[in-house]
Structure formats: structure tokens, C-alpha cells
PDB file of all heavy atoms in Angstrom:
ATOM      1  N   ASP A 186      95.012 102.407 112.175  1.00  0.00           N
ATOM      2  CA  ASP A 186      96.499 102.424 112.369  1.00  0.00           C
ATOM      3  C   ASP A 186      97.210 101.854 111.103  1.00  0.00           C
ATOM      4  O   ASP A 186      97.137 100.673 110.831  1.00  0.00           O
ATOM      5  CB  ASP A 186      96.739 101.513 113.631  1.00  0.00           C
ATOM      6  CG  ASP A 186      98.249 101.500 114.080  1.00  0.00           C
ATOM      7  OD1 ASP A 186      99.042 102.013 113.280  1.00  0.00           O
ATOM      8  OD2 ASP A 186      98.547 101.090 115.191  1.00  0.00           O
ATOM      9  N   LEU A 187      97.837 102.718 110.462  1.00  0.00           N
ATOM     10  CA  LEU A 187      98.577 102.496 109.261  1.00  0.00           C
ATOM     11  C   LEU A 187     100.076 102.740 109.544  1.00  0.00           C
ATOM     12  O   LEU A 187     100.806 103.092 108.589  1.00  0.00           O
ATOM     13  CB  LEU A 187      98.198 103.284 108.080  1.00  0.00           C
ATOM     14  CG  LEU A 187      96.739 102.944 107.689  1.00  0.00           C
ATOM     15  CD1 LEU A 187      96.191 103.830 106.569  1.00  0.00           C
ATOM     16  CD2 LEU A 187      96.574 101.537 107.197  1.00  0.00           C
ATOM     17  N   SER A 188     100.559 102.494 110.807  1.00  0.00           N
ATOM     18  CA  SER A 188     101.922 102.787 111.218  1.00  0.00           C
ATOM     19  C   SER A 188     102.948 101.941 110.474  1.00  0.00           C
ATOM     20  O   SER A 188     102.497 100.779 110.014  1.00  0.00           O
ATOM     21  CB  SER A 188     102.154 102.575 112.643  1.00  0.00           C
ATOM     22  OG  SER A 188     101.209 103.309 113.420  1.00  0.00           O
ATOM     23  N   ASP A 189     104.007 102.354 110.279  1.00  0.00           N
ATOM     24  CA  ASP A 189     105.154 101.560 109.681  1.00  0.00           C
ATOM     25  C   ASP A 189     104.833 101.039 108.284  1.00  0.00           C
ATOM     26  O   ASP A 189     105.106  99.831 108.077  1.00  0.00           O
ATOM     27  CB  ASP A 189     105.567 100.494 110.724  1.00  0.00           C
ATOM     28  CG  ASP A 189     106.007 101.076 111.921  1.00  0.00           C
ATOM     29  OD1 ASP A 189     107.207 101.656 112.137  1.00  0.00           O
ATOM     30  OD2 ASP A 189     105.275 100.882 113.083  1.00  0.00           O
ATOM     31  N   ASN A 190     104.377 101.859 107.515  1.00  0.00           N
ATOM     32  CA  ASN A 190     104.212 101.463 106.093  1.00  0.00           C
ATOM     33  C   ASN A 190     105.002 102.400 105.232  1.00  0.00           C
ATOM     34  O   ASN A 190     106.197 102.826 105.725  1.00  0.00           O
ATOM     35  CB  ASN A 190     102.722 101.662 105.759  1.00  0.00           C
ATOM     36  CG  ASN A 190     101.916 100.531 105.923  1.00  0.00           C
ATOM     37  OD1 ASN A 190     101.734  99.443 105.271  1.00  0.00           O
ATOM     38  ND2 ASN A 190     101.130 100.721 107.132  1.00  0.00           N
ATOM     39  N   GLN A 191     104.748 102.620 103.991  1.00  0.00           N
ATOM     40  CA  GLN A 191     105.681 103.415 103.183  1.00  0.00           C
ATOM     41  C   GLN A 191     104.808 104.671 102.738  1.00  0.00           C
ATOM     42  O   GLN A 191     105.063 105.169 101.585  1.00  0.00           O
ATOM     43  CB  GLN A 191     106.081 102.679 101.903  1.00  0.00           C
ATOM     44  CG  GLN A 191     106.872 101.356 102.241  1.00  0.00           C
ATOM     45  CD  GLN A 191     108.177 101.701 102.962  1.00  0.00           C
ATOM     46  OE1 GLN A 191     108.901 102.623 102.627  1.00  0.00           O
ATOM     47  NE2 GLN A 191     108.407 100.973 104.028  1.00  0.00           N
ATOM     48  N   ILE A 192     103.755 104.965 103.406  1.00  0.00           N
ATOM     49  CA  ILE A 192     102.891 106.046 102.963  1.00  0.00           C
ATOM     50  C   ILE A 192     103.496 107.446 102.894  1.00  0.00           C
ATOM     51  O   ILE A 192     104.209 107.989 103.704  1.00  0.00           O
ATOM     52  CB  ILE A 192     101.636 106.276 103.956  1.00  0.00           C
ATOM     53  CG1 ILE A 192     100.859 104.970 104.108  1.00  0.00           C
ATOM     54  CG2 ILE A 192     100.793 107.451 103.561  1.00  0.00           C
ATOM     55  CD1 ILE A 192      99.888 104.915 105.160  1.00  0.00           C
ATOM     56  N   TYR A 193     103.492 107.960 101.604  1.00  0.00           N
ATOM     57  CA  TYR A 193     103.925 109.184 101.357  1.00  0.00           C
ATOM     58  C   TYR A 193     102.948 110.207 100.889  1.00  0.00           C
ATOM     59  O   TYR A 193     103.139 111.371 100.727  1.00  0.00           O
ATOM     60  CB  TYR A 193     105.096 109.059 100.227  1.00  0.00           C
ATOM     61  CG  TYR A 193     104.607 108.813  98.816  1.00  0.00           C
ATOM     62  CD1 TYR A 193     104.236 109.804  97.857  1.00  0.00           C
ATOM     63  CD2 TYR A 193     104.344 107.509  98.433  1.00  0.00           C
ATOM     64  CE1 TYR A 193     103.739 109.447  96.658  1.00  0.00           C
ATOM     65  CE2 TYR A 193     104.022 107.116  97.111  1.00  0.00           C
ATOM     66  CZ  TYR A 193     103.567 108.201  96.275  1.00  0.00           C
ATOM     67  OH  TYR A 193     102.980 107.756  94.998  1.00  0.00           O
ATOM     68  N   LEU A 194     101.777 109.797 100.440  1.00  0.00           N
ATOM     69  CA  LEU A 194     100.718 110.600 100.088  1.00  0.00           C
ATOM     70  C   LEU A 194      99.319 110.248 100.655  1.00  0.00           C
ATOM     71  O   LEU A 194      98.967 109.015 100.707  1.00  0.00           O
ATOM     72  CB  LEU A 194     100.601 110.414  98.496  1.00  0.00           C
ATOM     73  CG  LEU A 194      99.444 111.259  97.863  1.00  0.00           C
ATOM     74  CD1 LEU A 194      99.724 112.695  97.973  1.00  0.00           C
ATOM     75  CD2 LEU A 194      99.422 110.871  96.339  1.00  0.00           C
ATOM     76  N   THR A 195      98.615 111.190 101.078  1.00  0.00           N
ATOM     77  CA  THR A 195      97.155 111.149 101.476  1.00  0.00           C
ATOM     78  C   THR A 195      96.431 112.113 100.544  1.00  0.00           C
ATOM     79  O   THR A 195      96.677 113.167 100.499  1.00  0.00           O
ATOM     80  CB  THR A 195      96.870 111.432 102.907  1.00  0.00           C
ATOM     81  OG1 THR A 195      97.272 112.662 103.177  1.00  0.00           O
ATOM     82  CG2 THR A 195      97.649 110.395 103.734  1.00  0.00           C
ATOM     83  N   GLU A 196      95.454 111.661  99.834  1.00  0.00           N
ATOM     84  CA  GLU A 196      94.718 112.480  98.876  1.00  0.00           C
ATOM     85  C   GLU A 196      93.916 113.486  99.710  1.00  0.00           C
ATOM     86  O   GLU A 196      93.461 113.209 100.828  1.00  0.00           O
ATOM     87  CB  GLU A 196      93.737 111.687  98.040  1.00  0.00           C
ATOM     88  CG  GLU A 196      94.416 110.727  97.057  1.00  0.00           C
ATOM     89  CD  GLU A 196      93.425 109.794  96.316  1.00  0.00           C
ATOM     90  OE1 GLU A 196      92.171 110.089  96.374  1.00  0.00           O
ATOM     91  OE2 GLU A 196      93.904 108.947  95.584  1.00  0.00           O
ATOM     92  N   ASP A 197      93.816 114.753  99.190  1.00  0.00           N
ATOM     93  CA  ASP A 197      92.966 115.750  99.930  1.00  0.00           C
ATOM     94  C   ASP A 197      91.478 115.264 100.168  1.00  0.00           C
ATOM     95  O   ASP A 197      90.936 114.635  99.277  1.00  0.00           O
ATOM     96  CB  ASP A 197      92.886 116.966  99.108  1.00  0.00           C
ATOM     97  CG  ASP A 197      94.183 117.866  99.376  1.00  0.00           C
ATOM     98  OD1 ASP A 197      94.976 117.506 100.229  1.00  0.00           O
ATOM     99  OD2 ASP A 197      94.289 118.913  98.657  1.00  0.00           O
ATOM    100  N   LYS A 198      91.084 115.398 101.324  1.00  0.00           N
ATOM    101  CA  LYS A 198      89.667 115.210 101.685  1.00  0.00           C
ATOM    102  C   LYS A 198      89.378 113.721 101.619  1.00  0.00           C
ATOM    103  O   LYS A 198      88.218 113.269 101.534  1.00  0.00           O
ATOM    104  CB  LYS A 198      88.686 115.937 100.790  1.00  0.00           C
ATOM    105  CG  LYS A 198      88.799 117.445 100.799  1.00  0.00           C
ATOM    106  CD  LYS A 198      87.683 118.044  99.845  1.00  0.00           C
ATOM    107  CE  LYS A 198      88.061 119.619  99.903  1.00  0.00           C
ATOM    108  NZ  LYS A 198      87.154 120.239  98.950  1.00  0.00           N
ATOM    109  N   ILE A 199      90.493 112.873 101.796  1.00  0.00           N
ATOM    110  CA  ILE A 199      90.245 111.439 101.622  1.00  0.00           C
ATOM    111  C   ILE A 199      89.420 110.822 102.860  1.00  0.00           C
ATOM    112  O   ILE A 199      88.776 109.767 102.766  1.00  0.00           O
ATOM    113  CB  ILE A 199      91.496 110.663 101.499  1.00  0.00           C
ATOM    114  CG1 ILE A 199      91.338 109.286 100.870  1.00  0.00           C
ATOM    115  CG2 ILE A 199      92.330 110.678 102.908  1.00  0.00           C
ATOM    116  CD1 ILE A 199      90.880 109.312  99.555  1.00  0.00           C
ATOM    117  N   PHE A 200      89.397 111.543 104.033  1.00  0.00           N
ATOM    118  CA  PHE A 200      88.758 111.116 105.176  1.00  0.00           C
ATOM    119  C   PHE A 200      87.355 111.761 105.336  1.00  0.00           C
ATOM    120  O   PHE A 200      86.820 111.586 106.391  1.00  0.00           O
ATOM    121  CB  PHE A 200      89.611 111.419 106.398  1.00  0.00           C
ATOM    122  CG  PHE A 200      90.829 110.642 106.432  1.00  0.00           C
ATOM    123  CD1 PHE A 200      92.034 111.304 106.385  1.00  0.00           C
ATOM    124  CD2 PHE A 200      90.947 109.268 106.581  1.00  0.00           C
ATOM    125  CE1 PHE A 200      93.245 110.666 106.375  1.00  0.00           C
ATOM    126  CE2 PHE A 200      92.244 108.699 106.619  1.00  0.00           C
ATOM    127  CZ  PHE A 200      93.350 109.338 106.523  1.00  0.00           C
ATOM    128  N   ILE A 201      86.736 112.402 104.293  1.00  0.00           N
ATOM    129  CA  ILE A 201      85.545 113.139 104.261  1.00  0.00           C
ATOM    130  C   ILE A 201      84.360 112.182 104.962  1.00  0.00           C
ATOM    131  O   ILE A 201      83.427 112.798 105.503  1.00  0.00           O
ATOM    132  CB  ILE A 201      85.161 113.720 102.993  1.00  0.00           C
ATOM    133  CG1 ILE A 201      84.145 114.813 103.132  1.00  0.00           C
ATOM    134  CG2 ILE A 201      84.764 112.754 101.972  1.00  0.00           C
ATOM    135  CD1 ILE A 201      84.968 116.107 103.670  1.00  0.00           C
ATOM    136  N   TYR A 202      84.449 110.824 104.713  1.00  0.00           N
ATOM    137  CA  TYR A 202      83.268 110.068 105.198  1.00  0.00           C
ATOM    138  C   TYR A 202      83.553 109.279 106.482  1.00  0.00           C
ATOM    139  O   TYR A 202      82.905 108.555 106.893  1.00  0.00           O
ATOM    140  CB  TYR A 202      83.007 108.951 104.072  1.00  0.00           C
ATOM    141  CG  TYR A 202      82.426 109.576 102.779  1.00  0.00           C
ATOM    142  CD1 TYR A 202      83.345 109.573 101.589  1.00  0.00           C
ATOM    143  CD2 TYR A 202      81.279 110.184 102.699  1.00  0.00           C
ATOM    144  CE1 TYR A 202      83.025 110.160 100.521  1.00  0.00           C
ATOM    145  CE2 TYR A 202      80.809 110.903 101.508  1.00  0.00           C
ATOM    146  CZ  TYR A 202      81.647 110.832 100.463  1.00  0.00           C
ATOM    147  OH  TYR A 202      81.181 111.459  99.308  1.00  0.00           O
ATOM    148  N   GLN A 203      84.673 109.607 107.083  1.00  0.00           N
ATOM    149  CA  GLN A 203      85.128 108.941 108.376  1.00  0.00           C
ATOM    150  C   GLN A 203      84.701 109.765 109.520  1.00  0.00           C
ATOM    151  O   GLN A 203      85.480 110.190 110.393  1.00  0.00           O
ATOM    152  CB  GLN A 203      86.705 108.798 108.366  1.00  0.00           C
ATOM    153  CG  GLN A 203      87.140 107.500 107.852  1.00  0.00           C
ATOM    154  CD  GLN A 203      86.554 107.120 106.471  1.00  0.00           C
ATOM    155  OE1 GLN A 203      86.894 107.862 105.511  1.00  0.00           O
ATOM    156  NE2 GLN A 203      85.894 105.978 106.246  1.00  0.00           N
ATOM    157  N   HIS A 204      83.348 110.141 109.597  1.00  0.00           N
ATOM    158  CA  HIS A 204      82.891 110.996 110.669  1.00  0.00           C
ATOM    159  C   HIS A 204      82.889 110.269 112.146  1.00  0.00           C
ATOM    160  O   HIS A 204      82.986 111.049 113.023  1.00  0.00           O
ATOM    161  CB  HIS A 204      81.375 111.346 110.490  1.00  0.00           C
ATOM    162  CG  HIS A 204      81.099 111.911 109.129  1.00  0.00           C
ATOM    163  ND1 HIS A 204      81.574 113.084 108.860  1.00  0.00           N
ATOM    164  CD2 HIS A 204      80.391 111.502 108.047  1.00  0.00           C
ATOM    165  CE1 HIS A 204      81.225 113.507 107.655  1.00  0.00           C
ATOM    166  NE2 HIS A 204      80.602 112.488 107.152  1.00  0.00           N
ATOM    167  N   ARG A 205      83.027 109.072 112.240  1.00  0.00           N
ATOM    168  CA  ARG A 205      83.299 108.322 113.397  1.00  0.00           C
ATOM    169  C   ARG A 205      84.694 108.144 114.055  1.00  0.00           C
ATOM    170  O   ARG A 205      84.925 107.829 115.035  1.00  0.00           O
ATOM    171  CB  ARG A 205      82.509 106.996 113.407  1.00  0.00           C
ATOM    172  CG  ARG A 205      81.031 107.028 113.042  1.00  0.00           C
ATOM    173  CD  ARG A 205      80.461 105.777 112.929  1.00  0.00           C
ATOM    174  NE  ARG A 205      79.037 105.740 112.638  1.00  0.00           N
ATOM    175  CZ  ARG A 205      78.062 105.621 113.514  1.00  0.00           C
ATOM    176  NH1 ARG A 205      78.441 105.172 114.787  1.00  0.00           N
ATOM    177  NH2 ARG A 205      76.857 105.738 113.274  1.00  0.00           N
ATOM    178  N   LEU A 206      85.660 108.400 113.147  1.00  0.00           N
ATOM    179  CA  LEU A 206      86.910 108.199 113.360  1.00  0.00           C
ATOM    180  C   LEU A 206      87.384 108.904 114.545  1.00  0.00           C
ATOM    181  O   LEU A 206      87.431 110.137 114.660  1.00  0.00           O
ATOM    182  CB  LEU A 206      87.927 108.321 112.240  1.00  0.00           C
ATOM    183  CG  LEU A 206      89.203 107.718 112.100  1.00  0.00           C
ATOM    184  CD1 LEU A 206      89.019 106.126 112.146  1.00  0.00           C
ATOM    185  CD2 LEU A 206      89.826 107.978 110.715  1.00  0.00           C
ATOM    186  N   LEU A 207      88.145 108.189 115.612  1.00  0.00           N
ATOM    187  CA  LEU A 207      88.503 108.835 116.834  1.00  0.00           C
ATOM    188  C   LEU A 207      89.995 108.895 116.910  1.00  0.00           C
ATOM    189  O   LEU A 207      90.545 109.680 117.542  1.00  0.00           O
ATOM    190  CB  LEU A 207      87.923 108.106 118.066  1.00  0.00           C
ATOM    191  CG  LEU A 207      86.540 108.153 118.307  1.00  0.00           C
ATOM    192  CD1 LEU A 207      86.043 107.181 119.396  1.00  0.00           C
ATOM    193  CD2 LEU A 207      86.018 109.483 118.356  1.00  0.00           C
ATOM    194  N   GLN A 208      90.751 107.871 116.281  1.00  0.00           N
ATOM    195  CA  GLN A 208      92.226 107.775 116.248  1.00  0.00           C
ATOM    196  C   GLN A 208      92.729 107.450 114.897  1.00  0.00           C
ATOM    197  O   GLN A 208      92.186 106.546 114.245  1.00  0.00           O
ATOM    198  CB  GLN A 208      92.618 106.612 117.224  1.00  0.00           C
ATOM    199  CG  GLN A 208      92.210 106.772 118.595  1.00  0.00           C
ATOM    200  CD  GLN A 208      92.722 105.550 119.461  1.00  0.00           C
ATOM    201  OE1 GLN A 208      93.771 105.009 119.098  1.00  0.00           O
ATOM    202  NE2 GLN A 208      92.002 105.072 120.447  1.00  0.00           N
ATOM    203  N   ILE A 209      93.878 108.219 114.554  1.00  0.00           N
ATOM    204  CA  ILE A 209      94.489 107.837 113.323  1.00  0.00           C
ATOM    205  C   ILE A 209      95.978 107.696 113.824  1.00  0.00           C
ATOM    206  O   ILE A 209      96.574 108.698 114.334  1.00  0.00           O
ATOM    207  CB  ILE A 209      94.388 108.758 112.273  1.00  0.00           C
ATOM    208  CG1 ILE A 209      93.042 108.960 111.744  1.00  0.00           C
ATOM    209  CG2 ILE A 209      95.382 108.569 111.050  1.00  0.00           C
ATOM    210  CD1 ILE A 209      92.907 109.912 110.554  1.00  0.00           C
ATOM    211  N   HIS A 210      96.604 106.674 113.473  1.00  0.00           N
ATOM    212  CA  HIS A 210      98.006 106.432 113.702  1.00  0.00           C
ATOM    213  C   HIS A 210      98.815 106.220 112.363  1.00  0.00           C
ATOM    214  O   HIS A 210      98.673 105.264 111.628  1.00  0.00           O
ATOM    215  CB  HIS A 210      98.403 105.223 114.556  1.00  0.00           C
ATOM    216  CG  HIS A 210      97.628 105.327 115.928  1.00  0.00           C
ATOM    217  ND1 HIS A 210      98.231 105.981 116.822  1.00  0.00           N
ATOM    218  CD2 HIS A 210      96.426 104.988 116.273  1.00  0.00           C
ATOM    219  CE1 HIS A 210      97.303 105.995 117.866  1.00  0.00           C
ATOM    220  NE2 HIS A 210      96.306 105.198 117.518  1.00  0.00           N
ATOM    221  N   LEU A 211      99.485 107.306 111.967  1.00  0.00           N
ATOM    222  CA  LEU A 211     100.274 107.323 110.673  1.00  0.00           C
ATOM    223  C   LEU A 211     101.771 107.482 110.904  1.00  0.00           C
ATOM    224  O   LEU A 211     102.508 107.906 110.096  1.00  0.00           O
ATOM    225  CB  LEU A 211      99.792 108.417 109.711  1.00  0.00           C
ATOM    226  CG  LEU A 211      98.348 108.364 109.325  1.00  0.00           C
ATOM    227  CD1 LEU A 211      97.896 109.637 108.572  1.00  0.00           C
ATOM    228  CD2 LEU A 211      98.171 107.159 108.459  1.00  0.00           C
ATOM    229  N   ASN A 212     102.144 107.026 112.107  1.00  0.00           N
ATOM    230  CA  ASN A 212     103.629 107.158 112.544  1.00  0.00           C
ATOM    231  C   ASN A 212     104.560 106.337 111.715  1.00  0.00           C
ATOM    232  O   ASN A 212     104.020 105.257 111.212  1.00  0.00           O
ATOM    233  CB  ASN A 212     103.761 107.025 114.062  1.00  0.00           C
ATOM    234  CG  ASN A 212     103.090 105.835 114.530  1.00  0.00           C
ATOM    235  OD1 ASN A 212     101.779 105.776 114.450  1.00  0.00           O
ATOM    236  ND2 ASN A 212     103.764 104.962 115.229  1.00  0.00           N
ATOM    237  N   ASN A 213     105.721 106.734 111.532  1.00  0.00           N
ATOM    238  CA  ASN A 213     106.853 105.910 110.810  1.00  0.00           C
ATOM    239  C   ASN A 213     106.350 105.662 109.371  1.00  0.00           C
ATOM    240  O   ASN A 213     106.496 104.394 108.950  1.00  0.00           O
ATOM    241  CB  ASN A 213     107.188 104.737 111.676  1.00  0.00           C
ATOM    242  CG  ASN A 213     107.626 104.946 113.006  1.00  0.00           C
ATOM    243  OD1 ASN A 213     108.439 106.023 113.178  1.00  0.00           O
ATOM    244  ND2 ASN A 213     107.187 104.265 113.961  1.00  0.00           N
ATOM    245  N   ASN A 214     106.024 106.562 108.638  1.00  0.00           N
ATOM    246  CA  ASN A 214     105.865 106.563 107.173  1.00  0.00           C
ATOM    247  C   ASN A 214     106.745 107.589 106.554  1.00  0.00           C
ATOM    248  O   ASN A 214     107.704 108.005 107.031  1.00  0.00           O
ATOM    249  CB  ASN A 214     104.300 106.778 106.990  1.00  0.00           C
ATOM    250  CG  ASN A 214     103.468 105.551 107.076  1.00  0.00           C
ATOM    251  OD1 ASN A 214     103.521 104.614 106.441  1.00  0.00           O
ATOM    252  ND2 ASN A 214     102.656 105.528 108.174  1.00  0.00           N
ATOM    253  N   LYS A 215     106.288 108.018 105.439  1.00  0.00           N
ATOM    254  CA  LYS A 215     107.100 108.922 104.577  1.00  0.00           C
ATOM    255  C   LYS A 215     106.381 110.165 104.113  1.00  0.00           C
ATOM    256  O   LYS A 215     106.624 110.799 103.083  1.00  0.00           O
ATOM    257  CB  LYS A 215     107.665 108.201 103.396  1.00  0.00           C
ATOM    258  CG  LYS A 215     108.605 107.077 103.770  1.00  0.00           C
ATOM    259  CD  LYS A 215     109.082 106.396 102.461  1.00  0.00           C
ATOM    260  CE  LYS A 215     110.134 105.323 102.939  1.00  0.00           C
ATOM    261  NZ  LYS A 215     110.617 104.675 101.717  1.00  0.00           N
ATOM    262  N   ILE A 216     105.269 110.515 104.989  1.00  0.00           N
ATOM    263  CA  ILE A 216     104.522 111.734 104.674  1.00  0.00           C
ATOM    264  C   ILE A 216     105.313 112.989 104.829  1.00  0.00           C
ATOM    265  O   ILE A 216     105.912 113.298 105.887  1.00  0.00           O
ATOM    266  CB  ILE A 216     103.232 111.710 105.635  1.00  0.00           C
ATOM    267  CG1 ILE A 216     102.490 110.387 105.399  1.00  0.00           C
ATOM    268  CG2 ILE A 216     102.447 112.925 105.395  1.00  0.00           C
ATOM    269  CD1 ILE A 216     101.345 110.212 106.550  1.00  0.00           C
ATOM    270  N   SER A 217     105.209 113.770 103.828  1.00  0.00           N
ATOM    271  CA  SER A 217     106.050 115.042 103.803  1.00  0.00           C
ATOM    272  C   SER A 217     105.153 116.414 103.850  1.00  0.00           C
ATOM    273  O   SER A 217     105.629 117.388 104.110  1.00  0.00           O
ATOM    274  CB  SER A 217     107.086 115.030 102.708  1.00  0.00           C
ATOM    275  OG  SER A 217     106.385 115.117 101.496  1.00  0.00           O
ATOM    276  N   ASN A 218     103.942 116.172 103.352  1.00  0.00           N
ATOM    277  CA  ASN A 218     103.194 117.324 103.191  1.00  0.00           C
ATOM    278  C   ASN A 218     101.680 117.027 103.669  1.00  0.00           C
ATOM    279  O   ASN A 218     101.005 116.014 103.356  1.00  0.00           O
ATOM    280  CB  ASN A 218     102.962 117.687 101.636  1.00  0.00           C
ATOM    281  CG  ASN A 218     102.183 118.865 101.475  1.00  0.00           C
ATOM    282  OD1 ASN A 218     102.156 119.825 102.221  1.00  0.00           O
ATOM    283  ND2 ASN A 218     101.538 118.997 100.441  1.00  0.00           N
ATOM    284  N   ILE A 219     101.289 117.817 104.579  1.00  0.00           N
ATOM    285  CA  ILE A 219      99.967 117.821 105.093  1.00  0.00           C
ATOM    286  C   ILE A 219      99.222 119.310 105.023  1.00  0.00           C
ATOM    287  O   ILE A 219     100.110 120.220 104.996  1.00  0.00           O
ATOM    288  CB  ILE A 219      99.694 117.366 106.575  1.00  0.00           C
ATOM    289  CG1 ILE A 219     100.540 118.270 107.620  1.00  0.00           C
ATOM    290  CG2 ILE A 219     100.164 115.824 106.638  1.00  0.00           C
ATOM    291  CD1 ILE A 219     100.395 117.930 109.093  1.00  0.00           C
ATOM    292  N   ASN A 220      98.102 119.431 104.684  1.00  0.00           N
ATOM    293  CA  ASN A 220      97.481 120.691 104.518  1.00  0.00           C
ATOM    294  C   ASN A 220      96.043 120.710 105.212  1.00  0.00           C
ATOM    295  O   ASN A 220      95.692 119.785 105.837  1.00  0.00           O
ATOM    296  CB  ASN A 220      97.437 121.186 102.962  1.00  0.00           C
ATOM    297  CG  ASN A 220      96.490 120.277 102.227  1.00  0.00           C
ATOM    298  OD1 ASN A 220      95.382 120.026 102.584  1.00  0.00           O
ATOM    299  ND2 ASN A 220      97.143 119.788 101.229  1.00  0.00           N
ATOM    300  N   ASN A 221      95.355 121.860 105.098  1.00  0.00           N
ATOM    301  CA  ASN A 221      94.050 121.936 105.824  1.00  0.00           C
ATOM    302  C   ASN A 221      92.950 120.968 105.224  1.00  0.00           C
ATOM    303  O   ASN A 221      91.879 120.934 105.789  1.00  0.00           O
ATOM    304  CB  ASN A 221      93.566 123.355 105.910  1.00  0.00           C
ATOM    305  CG  ASN A 221      93.408 123.945 104.566  1.00  0.00           C
ATOM    306  OD1 ASN A 221      93.677 123.450 103.449  1.00  0.00           O
ATOM    307  ND2 ASN A 221      92.739 125.159 104.545  1.00  0.00           N
ATOM    308  N   ASN A 222      93.290 120.415 104.078  1.00  0.00           N
ATOM    309  CA  ASN A 222      92.269 119.421 103.460  1.00  0.00           C
ATOM    310  C   ASN A 222      92.638 118.047 103.797  1.00  0.00           C
ATOM    311  O   ASN A 222      91.841 117.103 103.534  1.00  0.00           O
ATOM    312  CB  ASN A 222      92.149 119.614 102.046  1.00  0.00           C
ATOM    313  CG  ASN A 222      91.331 120.864 101.511  1.00  0.00           C
ATOM    314  OD1 ASN A 222      90.260 121.104 102.235  1.00  0.00           O
ATOM    315  ND2 ASN A 222      91.776 121.637 100.602  1.00  0.00           N
TER     316      ASN A 222
END
């Protein structure tokens, strides 16, 4: 849960090692671009 930060960028394939992750909360940030990576 990284809600309510100033996140504007997530590097491509950054979650490649998070095979167990069930929930991601990125709400209330500044993310403008998401893609298939």
C-alpha cells in the first residue's frame, strides 16, 4: 500500500519478482502512464 504519496513513475517490469503479491494500492498518487509492462 503506497497510497497518498507523490508517485508519478513506476519503472517497467519493476514488480517482476513480486510473484506472491495479492494486493497493490497506489491510489491518490500522480501516476499518468501505465502499460503492459
Side-chain angles (χ1 to χ4, degrees):
D186 189 344
L187 296 174
S188 301
D189 299 290
N190 276 280
Q191 304 295 316
I192 298 169
Y193 69 92
L194 178 66
T195 59
E196 295 178 10
D197 279 354
K198 301 179 185 177
I199 201 65
F200 297 111
I201 200 79
Y202 298 108
Q203 269 54 56
H204 302 293
R205 296 175 179 259
L206 204 52
L207 299 173
Q208 297 180 35
I209 295 182
H210 300 275
L211 296 171
N212 44 303
N213 302 316
N214 278 289
K215 297 180 178 182
I216 299 168
S217 61
N218 184 34
I219 57 174
N220 62 55
N221 62 348
N222 284 318

